[in-house]
Amino acid sequence: MSEAKKAILEKIRNALGEVPRQERPEDITVPRHYRQQGNRAAGEVVALFAGRVGEYKATVQRVNANALAGVIAESCRREGVEKLVVPDGFPGEWLPGDEDDNVRLLHDKPGEPLSHRALDDSDGVITTCALGVAQTGTIILDAGAGQGRRVLTLLPDYHLCIVKEEQIVELVSEGFTHFEQAVREEGPPITFISGPSATSDIELSRVEGVHGPRRLEVLIVQE
């Protein structure tokens, strides 16, 4: 065992030394004085979300529901997407046509999952989402209909995500509350996305696309 690990374990033992053996975590009330409910108007929340997502160098558009299919097709043309990964449950009426838009749709199904090679060779993925958080410009996926497996949003270079206005909450705490029950029941993994994948080395040289899509586009849909 390394000296560093020994030091860490020793500090943990010392911290727990005064805790009675019969005490359980649920016996202690944790103070939660932070804001748990937003107070902005719905329009302000959506505008804040759009602004914060844009700050992460993602492309953001606010779209009327009736124009969504056309905007998606145009985004695929602009980004040069010829092979598009589609999760199970994604609304078919929103998808570009194979012939008209020169896009080949790669459907990922529970019984017929796409291989990692197929995902890596694709040009992009399109998904819905479970929730958006305006405070941090974060998109949350929970593997629901139209979102698919976590790997679908990790390997393709381009992620086109559809967020409905009514899915956007103001605060991070509201987002956590929304998924509390699913976490307690140990449901599917929950993914938090704040902008395109990016990291930097010790010299602060920014590199994009290391841990996920290098390009993120978000379409905020108004019904």
Side-chain angles (χ1 to χ4, degrees), residues 122-145:
S122 71
D123 299 307
V125 59
I126 186 169
T127 73
T128 57
C129 77
L131 210 66
V133 179
Q135 186 180 34
T136 55
T138 300
I139 297 166
I140 307 178
L141 309 180
D142 65 356

Side-chain angles (χ1 to χ4, degrees), residues 5-72:
K5 187 173 183 179
K6 288 180 181 179
I8 293 172
L9 293 176
E10 182 62 27
K11 288 184 178 181
I12 293 174
R13 281 191 288 268
N14 292 338
L16 296 176
E18 299 179 0
V19 178
R21 289 184 176 277
Q22 68 274 16
E23 186 176 283
R24 296 291 179 267
E26 56 269 20
D27 298 332
I28 305 300
T29 300
V30 179
R32 303 185 186 277
H33 302 311
Y34 52 82
R35 285 199 302 153
Q36 299 185 47
Q37 190 70 38
N39 54 16
R40 296 174 185 260
E44 293 180 311
V45 172
V46 174
L48 177 62
F49 175 77
R52 291 284 164 84
V53 173
E55 289 175 5
Y56 288 119
K57 296 186 177 181
T59 300
V60 185
Q61 292 190 65
R62 298 182 67 173
V63 183
N64 186 281
N66 295 330
L68 182 58
V71 174
I72 289 174

